Amino acid sequence: MPLGAGVAYQYALLDADSVAAAEVRCRPLERTVIAEIARANPAPAGVARLATLVGLTR
């Protein structure tokens, strides 16, 4: 992920989830992106919530 692109990915991911949650939450590529962004320290609140909903975190 290019430097600074994480913020853009985060907002795009959260926007997509608000429009088509099932599409975002079940596709392997999106789950990988959610996991990568959620591993950031600290994880952005919206992505951390999404990672929990998808079952990627406890």
Side-chain angles (χ1 to χ4, degrees):
M1 194 177 320
L3 185 63
V7 174
Y9 289 150
Q10 170 190 342
Y11 288 119
L13 184 63
L14 295 174
D15 286 345
D17 186 62
S18 70
V19 174
E23 293 292 322
V24 171
R25 296 175 187 186
C26 71
R27 292 184 183 223
L29 180 59
E30 280 77 4
R31 291 175 61 90
T32 300
V33 172
I34 293 167
E36 288 293 320
I37 296 173
R39 285 189 199 118
N41 291 323
V47 177
R49 179 191 59 79
L50 183 56
T52 301
L53 290 172
V54 172
L56 297 173
T57 61
R58 294 179 187 192

